[in-house]
Amino acid sequence: MTGGPIALRVNGVERRASDVPASERLLDTLRWRFDLKGTKEGCRTGGCGACTVLVDGESTLSCLTLTHEVDGRAVATIEAGGESPTMERVRAAFVAEGALQCGYCTPGFVVALTGLLEERGRAASRDEMLEALAGNLCRCTGYAAIGRAVERLRAEAP
Amino acid sequence: MVEFDLVAPRSADEAFAALRAAAPDGAAVLAGGTDLLPDVDEGRQRPRVVVSLRHLPWRTLDWAGPSLTIGSTLPLRALEQDPDLVRRFPGLAEAIRDVGSVALRHRATLGGNVVRAAPTSDLVPVLLALDAEVEIVGPRGTRRLPVDRFVRASRRVDLGPEELVRAVWFPEARPSAYRWQRVRPANDISQVAVAAACSPADRRWRIAVGGVAPRPVRIPSAAEALGAGAPTAAAVARAARAAADAVAFPTDRRASADYRRHLVATLVERVVDAVVRAEGFPR
């Protein structure tokens, strides 16, 4: 097949597209078909984490994911908002600690950490949280404040 | 964007047919895609058809006595989170956690890593130390091959155009460990890596080194220098020297041959120490 229809549940909403090329990446589907520009393109080779989204709750590099490969599945992006209380909690911690500078990498960090917290719940240790972020690059090198956001999330673990 | 067709067969037979239809060089196999898709984007590989394994029932983890069979399309993240695997195959679990990032490992697979056979693979050295074998299926049946013979060279494996790796088989749980040197701990490629395992059955060691061209290799002389079971400090030093002498280390943009030779001796000492302290080490 050279292309075809896909259906995704994106941030709780059914989204469809009729003629998605076989080689299209989830990153491009989200940004250009569904106008969800919060997910960023960085390196496009899986090395920076800027494009991280959740697929069925698991952090996933959307630049390395063919849209057709995740047809029918649930995708969460930084725009999930109130659909994801965990993401709201992570976002609030980043805001409280000023854990961003230019902001380009921030959606990837927030989504990756959300995925880990949803996967591990209260059991998530500080090391696991930092490991979950180890694939995300911040070119402003604002890692210290991101580390503080992790500490804050640990301290307020529900 | 580089265009290609995508097929997602529902059975192994359908997959063989899809590979045959795209023969000889027109097809690429997609498991997690984390290695294939960058290659396609950068023009290193130009498949006409990509055959996705996502519908094949190969996301399995099967224990049988001391042995373990890992389905080729099970994501690495599921492996590193399996408590039995972490306890009984500690070196494999360590090596898996050293691949890319958590998000990458949610898609990357053991089968993909071994079939893609990157010379810098973090998993092939530990597969060599664990005497792992690949289970290959094709239109003419099933065959099995030790990883040491399956991986021929950089990016080259003994796999026919219509064959697929269904699983990786490990003969026995072994105290094992994996140590490396890199510029950056995550999402980076090892300059040198060393895997070691000691068999509880025969108490013999296996040592393998990665970060060497054109593929990770076993170092039998280092394994022999360690003797059986717990080695003396002198034996460890001999093994470290043997590993440094046995390999023709490359010089490339990641490290010089001299630096790699220096590193490998240190890493052999560290990895052996970790294996001796692992659960179930044969005294």
Side-chain angles (χ1 to χ4, degrees):
Chain A
M1 134 203 117
T2 53
I6 56 101
L8 299 171
R9 190 169 181 84
V10 183
N11 301 330
V13 179
E14 289 296 334
R15 307 296 294 255
R16 290 173 182 279
S18 59
D19 198 16
V20 176
S23 53
E24 184 164 309
R25 306 304 155 83
L26 179 59
L27 169 66
D28 299 316
T29 305
L30 292 170
R31 285 180 59 86
W32 304 110
R33 291 182 190 276
F34 301 154
D35 202 28
L36 294 168
K37 301 278 175 57
T39 304
K40 304 301 186 199
E41 175 176 332
C43 66
R44 218 178 165 87
T45 58
C48 78
C51 69
T52 306
V53 300
L54 303 183
V55 175
D56 289 343
E58 294 183 336
S59 59
T60 299
L61 299 166
S62 63
C63 74
L64 293 187
T65 302
L66 298 180
T67 304
H68 283 279
E69 285 288 288
V70 295
D71 186 25
R73 297 170 70 177
V75 176
T77 71
I78 189 67
E79 292 94 343
E83 279 295 312
S84 168
T86 309
M87 194 181 292
E88 280 299 286
R89 206 155 63 74
V90 173
R91 198 181 56 78
F94 271 60
V95 170
E97 295 295 343
L100 71 160
Q101 291 186 30
C102 84
Y104 196 84
C105 68
T106 311
F109 273 93
V110 170
V111 171
L113 196 48
T114 301
L116 190 273
L117 293 178
E118 290 191 345
E119 180 180 291
R120 301 281 294 137
R122 304 178 55 143
S125 69
R126 178 176 177 279
D127 284 353
E128 280 177 309
M129 290 163 77
L130 293 177
E131 184 199 11
L133 299 178
N136 293 72
L137 298 185
C138 168
R139 295 208 58 181
C140 307
T141 70
Y143 296 108
I146 293 169
R148 288 199 302 273
V150 165
E151 298 294 352
R152 175 177 285 264
L153 285 161
R154 278 289 297 152
E156 65 183 30
Chain B
M1 190 164 63
V2 182
E3 300 289 340
F4 49 76
D5 289 355
L6 180 67
V7 292
R10 298 270 165 184
S11 69
D13 284 337
E14 272 185 45
F16 305 147
L19 290 168
R20 192 177 316 123
D25 296 318
V29 175
L30 176 76
T34 56
D35 191 61
L36 172 69
L37 294 176
D39 269 8
V40 170
D41 286 344
E42 287 164 25
R44 289 188 291 270
Q45 205 173 336
R46 300 176 184 280
R48 212 159 37 77
V49 179
V50 169
V51 178
S52 163
L53 305 184
R54 73 175 187 268
H55 292 312
L56 299 188
W58 295 350
R59 296 181 184 216
T60 53
L61 192 67
D62 294 306
W63 297 90
S67 77
L68 170 65
T69 305
I70 297 174
S72 62
T73 58
L74 189 65
L76 296 179
R77 183 69 171 162
L79 296 173
E80 76 193 53
Q81 292 190 314
D82 185 279
D84 288 332
L85 187 143
V86 172
R87 192 171 53 80
R88 299 177 67 185
F89 289 87
L92 179 60
E94 285 173 347
I96 288 171
R97 293 187 88 117
D98 292 331
V99 174
S101 61
V102 168
L104 185 119
R105 299 198 297 276
H106 275 135
R107 297 198 68 79
T109 65
L110 180 58
N113 191 282
V114 73
V115 170
R116 301 289 296 172
T120 50
S121 166
D122 279 300
L123 303 184
V124 170
V126 76
L127 298 185
L128 294 175
L130 293 168
D131 292 315
E133 299 186 1
V134 290
E135 196 178 292
I136 298 165
V137 294
R140 279 172 297 283
T142 302
R143 65 190 177 104
R144 234 178 194 187
L145 213 52
V147 169
D148 199 24
R149 283 172 49 210
F150 177 69
V151 178
R152 312 283 295 249
S154 174
R155 301 281 183 192
R156 285 211 4 242
V157 293
D158 183 348
L159 193 67
E162 293 172 32
E163 287 184 317
L164 296 166
V165 169
R166 179 169 63 192
V168 180
W169 175 80
F170 299 83
E172 60 172 0
R174 285 181 189 164
S176 49
Y178 183 65
R179 293 290 183 273
W180 43 258
Q181 178 70 27
R182 295 173 178 176
V183 173
R184 186 175 187 270
N187 244 359
D188 197 7
I189 286 168
S190 302
Q191 294 160 316
V192 174
V194 182
C198 186
S199 166
D202 63 13
R203 303 173 71 236
R204 292 286 166 185
W205 287 79
R206 278 82 170 165
I207 304 277
V209 174
V212 296
R215 48 153 287 193
V217 289
R218 291 175 198 263
I219 314 287
S221 57
E224 278 157 31
L226 292 170
T232 62
V236 175
R238 277 198 304 279
R241 264 198 313 279
D245 291 343
V247 181
F249 290 100
T251 291
D252 58 26
R253 65 195 165 88
R254 284 192 194 95
S256 68
D258 277 351
Y259 184 47
R260 287 189 159 103
R261 201 171 300 116
H262 167 78
L263 288 174
V264 80
T266 304
L267 292 173
V268 165
E269 291 177 7
R270 288 184 189 167
V271 82
V272 168
D273 183 57
V275 174
V276 170
R277 286 186 284 102
E279 182 181 321
F281 181 79
R283 305 264 149 209

